[in-house]
Structures are given as structure tokens and as C-alpha cells.
Amino acid sequence: MFVTPSQASPSRPIRVAIVGTGAIARVSHLPALRALAAEQPLEIVAAVDVDAASAATFCAEAGAGRPYTELDRMLAEERPDLVTLGTPPRFHRDQTIAALRAGAWVWCEKPPCPSLEDFDAIEEAEDPRRGGPYAAIVFQHRFGSGSDHVRTLLAEQAMGRPLVAHCQTTWYRDAAYYAAPWRGRWSTEGGGPAMGHGIHQMDLLLDLLGPWSEIRAMAGRLVHDVETEDVSTALVRFENGTMATIVNSVLSPDEVSRIRIDCERATVELTHLYGHRNADWRITPAPGVPAEHVAAWRDFGADVPSSHEAQLRGLLRDLRAGRRPRSSGADGRTSLELVAALYKAAFTGNTVRAGEIGPGDPYYSALHGNAPGWAPEPAEASA
């Protein structure tokens, strides 16, 4: 059985249920849970999927848990402490709220949900007065030793004020990728590369630099026959004055994920693809910076890669302590708000300011904002 004996810790095991037993659950969630079960009391009690065979196979691979095809039945019978969601974005709102109302914390894969309205409904279902349950979004790129070290350097302005930044998610997806009927559609994928691909690097940029204040953007369909965009670019001003460029693309054969921040005394740069280690970060000092300062900046400590495991470890600590986890509530909403603002700026041609998209704004209830040429056909929109 994939269960840590309760005698390994004075606290009782955290009961985990996996909802959606596709690739992300098998490749990322299950290995993270296995690793953490070796450190603390934790057990998988259930797996849920509309495909009964997939749920059964997942439980067999995990060596634990009971397969289900109905979320509500599982929540009633198993009463899990934590539910991990690996389902398509269009299901996230209802499934998260159901789990929260059943008393379970939720760890939900990105994209978080198709609109700010959905996200706010999820936050409304949380119970901060009792120390949870809370719902957190999987934004694993902000976790790990590299991002922790650079976040501290920037917060302390050890390298001086941040001035200029670049955030790049330039990946490649071919026609076969978009042959799947749910891809490239607002109702099922939630958005294009800004939402489904670049949101990870944008979330990390926000986590490092803090709140943004305004954005201008462009979006296009240059190659693929899709509803959403296949490329977007943006200019963002942060509250601290930093000016940033953002590029999100699925048209780039030379794939790379990159963040670069130019400060007064040094440039810090991260170059990777789907995850980073200490070695993926580079710090280049300005002329005249003392060598001992540079050595301290470049000392990242023990290497803890960005990963689902790194984020989940912190979330489990917060669950046991009854405190709000990172990437939940306002902290989780900020990335979705930036994506919504990017689409609004691109589709309207206007500068969008932080906080302006709220109830009554068309981009609050749908990321396409019902913009001509971008909104889905009426039949799909109603469906």
C-alpha cells in the first residue's frame, strides 16, 4: 500500500484524493505524493475520473486508493483532506467549490479557471475564519531554491532597484497538437499561449517583482486555425517602476522559457524550458561591483529544483498549520488578472490598469470579452 505508517509522525495522515487521472496526475502529482509520503503521514484514498478504467488503472499504479467516477460520491464517502485537480479548466470552478464545501483543501492545476468571475466564486467558497479549507493553484515555477534566492535578493534590493525585465515563453506546437478538438478554444482550453503556456513564467515574474500597475498588448493568429491567439506580446509597468516586456508564443521552433531582470547593480537571468535548477540562473554584475558581493549573490545554496513536489511540500505544511498557502486567494488571482488584462489590452487596443476588470466588465466573465473576431461562435458560447 502507498501509505506512510501513522506512527512515523504524531499527526494523523493527510488523506488525498486525485481528480482527473490523465498525464499530469501520473507524471507530476503521483510522483510528488510518493516522495512526500516518505517524509510525512500521507495516503492516497481515492482517484476520480469519468473514465472508470483510467481511475482503476491509476489506483493500481499508485498501489492505493479507491476508484470513482463521481466526485460528489467520493467526497461524501472518503472525506479527503486534500483534493488535487488535474482536469480541464472548464471543470475547475465547480469541482473546486464542491471539494471546498466538503471540507477539503484543493490543489488545482493551471490554468486556474476560465475567468476572474470563476476565480472569485472559488475564493468565496473558502473558509479563512476557520483556517481553511483553501484552494491553491499549481504554479510550481515559483518554488525551489533558485526562485527563493532571487526573490530575497530583489526584495532586499541587494542588486539595487529592478529597472527592466523580460518574460519569454516561446514554445512550438504544430497542427497535430491543435487537431485535438478541445485545443485552441476558449470554452475548453481557457485561452491561448498567454493562458495555457506563458502563465507559468508570468506568475514567476509577478512573484519576483510584485504588483503590476498597467499593461498594453497585442495578440494574433499567425499560423493556427484556432479561436484563441497563437502569439501575444505585452508591455507591463510594475508598481515599483520596473518596465517589462512579455512574449508568449507557440510558433517558436527554438523553444525556451526565460526571465531576465536588469537591476542597478546586476542582471539576473533564468533560462530553461519546463523547470529550473540553480544552474539555470545566471547573475552578471555591473562594472565595479565588489567580488564578495557577486559571490554572495551567486551562492544559491543547496539545489532544490522547481517542481510539483516543492510546492506541494509547502502546501501540506500550511494545511497542517491551518494557514493560507501561497498561490491561493489574492496571491493566486494576480496571474489570472494579468492574463485577463493582457487579452483586454490586446483586443481593445487600450491600456489596462490593475484592478479595473471587475463585475460588469466583459473581460471579468470571459477572457475573450466578447470581442469581435475573438469571441467564440454563439452556439459554442451558450454551450
Side-chain angles (χ1 to χ4, degrees):
M1 292 289 289
F2 169 40
V3 177
T4 299
S6 58
Q7 58 264 34
S9 170
S11 54
R12 68 177 182 83
I14 292 177
R15 296 167 55 81
V16 182
I18 292 89
V19 179
T21 57
I24 195 67
R26 287 181 161 85
V27 174
S28 298
H29 292 198
L30 181 57
L33 289 166
R34 278 179 167 150
L36 293 168
E39 304 175 0
Q40 59 187 278
L42 182 153
E43 59 181 318
I44 290 179
V45 298
V48 184
D49 201 287
V50 292
D51 183 338
S54 179
T57 300
F58 184 91
C59 290
E61 292 175 358
R66 185 177 172 190
Y68 287 84
T69 57
E70 299 176 12
L71 174 62
D72 289 342
R73 180 184 173 191
M74 183 279 293
L75 292 171
E77 293 183 0
E78 301 295 344
R79 309 297 298 179
D81 302 303
L82 174 66
V83 169
T84 73
L85 284 184
T87 53
R90 60 178 171 160
F91 301 119
H92 289 173
R93 171 178 171 164
D94 290 346
Q95 291 175 339
T96 299
I97 290 175
L100 290 170
R101 288 177 175 169
W105 287 43
V106 178
W107 194 41
C108 177
E109 272 295 335
K110 65 84 189 166
C113 48
S115 71
L116 289 169
E117 182 179 45
D118 290 335
F119 193 96
D120 290 347
I122 289 171
E123 191 173 358
E124 183 66 25
E126 296 177 334
D127 193 355
R129 294 171 299 176
R130 299 186 180 182
Y134 296 108
I137 308 303
V138 178
F139 282 135
Q140 75 272 19
H141 287 199
R142 31 159 124 174
F143 296 83
S145 52
S147 53
D148 287 347
H149 179 64
V150 171
R151 187 184 308 108
T152 299
L153 292 177
L154 292 170
E156 297 175 350
Q157 294 195 2
M159 300 176 293
R161 290 183 300 122
L163 304 172
V164 182
H166 176 67
C167 180
Q168 175 184 352
T169 305
T170 44
W171 295 356
Y172 186 78
R173 299 294 183 265
D174 59 15
Y177 175 86
Y178 283 104
W182 59 272
R183 287 195 170 121
R185 296 183 178 275
W186 295 104
S187 64
T188 49
E189 198 169 22
M195 179 67 157
H197 305 83
I199 194 171
H200 271 305
Q201 297 313 299
M202 291 189 287
D203 178 75
L204 178 55
L205 185 72
L206 290 167
D207 194 54
L208 295 175
L209 290 179
W212 61 279
S213 58
E214 61 179 312
I215 182 172
R216 303 175 186 181
M218 293 188 296
R221 300 187 194 100
L222 303 187
V223 173
H224 298 293
D225 182 17
V226 292
E227 287 181 348
T228 65
E229 85 287 6
D230 56 17
V231 63
S232 67
T233 62
L235 302 175
V236 181
R237 191 189 307 272
F238 283 78
E239 286 186 3
N240 63 15
T242 305
M243 297 179 65
T245 62
I246 295 176
V247 180
N248 300 306
S249 165
V250 289
L251 310 178
S252 309
D254 183 10
E255 295 187 296
V256 69
S257 304
R258 179 178 291 122
I259 284 179
R260 170 177 169 144
I261 301 172
D262 297 319
C263 300
E264 292 174 302
R265 305 177 66 206
T267 292
V268 57
E269 186 172 13
L270 167 66
T271 304
H272 67 116
L273 188 55
Y274 299 134
H276 53 83
R277 310 179 69 96
N278 287 352
D280 297 316
W281 295 83
R282 184 177 67 179
I283 296 179
T284 304
V289 173
E292 60 270 22
H293 291 183
V294 179
W297 299 342
R298 290 174 173 169
D299 183 4
F300 283 73
D303 191 9
V304 179
S306 68
S307 65
H308 282 69
E309 178 185 334
Q311 180 176 1
L312 186 55
R313 181 178 287 108
L315 187 146
L316 293 176
R317 285 196 298 264
D318 294 331
L319 191 158
R320 292 188 186 278
R323 61 179 175 243
R324 178 176 288 284
R326 291 175 63 192
S327 78
S328 71
D331 186 41
R333 189 183 191 275
T334 183
S335 299
L336 182 60
E337 183 187 8
L338 182 62
V339 171
L342 185 155
Y343 284 132
K344 182 177 180 179
F347 299 163
T348 64
N350 298 326
T351 297
V352 177
R353 288 171 174 79
E356 79 170 55
I357 301 178
D361 189 305
Y363 291 87
Y364 178 72
S365 55
L367 292 183
H368 53 72
N370 291 316
W374 289 102
E377 294 298 321
E380 181 176 337
S382 62

